[in-house]
Amino acid sequence: MPSINASSAIAVTAFALAACGEPHRAAAQQYLTLAEGVLIANGICASASDCQRKELLFWEGGEVNLGVVGWGGAYVNLYATQDPALVDAIVSKFKEAHTRQPDPQVTLTVFSSPHSQPEVQFRKVVLK
């Protein structure tokens, strides 16, 4: 029979997992679309499906909420770039959209490494 401490730990873990989800899915996909547009305009991808095939962009719209404490938002990861001008163009588009709709928090993480390689972070921008 599990002890009270083990039962408590199981209950807390179950509660935490139940509080997780993707409530910012639509926002994350919106920011992904903006990033794709910049990549396409700069000739990095021919289309959204080409960006997907090249594994350049990934998103997540997660949030963890434990009563009064919560964290999360819309996350976009860009891989295989070290071009500061390209990143600035994406950040500019994100800022425009975030000004119109400031919730949720948006995090863009740029990696110089390809998606399938160990991650080497190039830049991270958080819009609160």
Side-chain angles (χ1 to χ4, degrees):
M1 176 175 216
S3 70
I4 292 175
N5 288 340
S7 297
S8 296
I10 291 169
V12 168
T13 302
F15 177 74
L17 291 174
C20 297
E22 283 192 298
H24 305 299
R25 178 184 189 95
Q29 288 176 327
Q30 171 193 354
Y31 285 100
L32 176 86
T33 300
L34 292 172
E36 284 173 341
V38 173
L39 295 179
I40 292 166
N42 283 278
I44 308 297
C45 304
S47 64
S49 61
D50 187 39
C51 287
Q52 185 177 13
R53 183 185 60 76
K54 292 179 177 180
E55 296 184 332
L56 297 177
L57 289 165
F58 292 85
W59 65 270
E60 179 184 340
E63 182 171 289
V64 176
N65 221 332
L66 300 174
V68 297
V69 178
W71 58 93
Y75 299 89
V76 176
N77 293 342
L78 171 62
Y79 289 86
T81 189
Q82 295 182 38
D83 183 348
L86 180 68
V87 175
D88 288 343
I90 293 171
V91 169
S92 177
K93 291 289 185 184
F94 281 20
K95 284 181 178 179
E96 288 174 20
H98 199 258
T99 299
R100 291 188 302 273
Q101 186 175 344
D103 189 48
Q105 173 177 299
V106 179
T107 303
L108 171 66
T109 306
V110 182
F111 299 96
S112 58
S113 56
H115 179 256
S116 58
Q117 301 295 316
E119 293 178 340
V120 178
Q121 187 171 315
F122 175 69
R123 186 167 166 196
K124 185 173 188 173
V125 177
V126 179
L127 304 175
K128 296 181 180 187

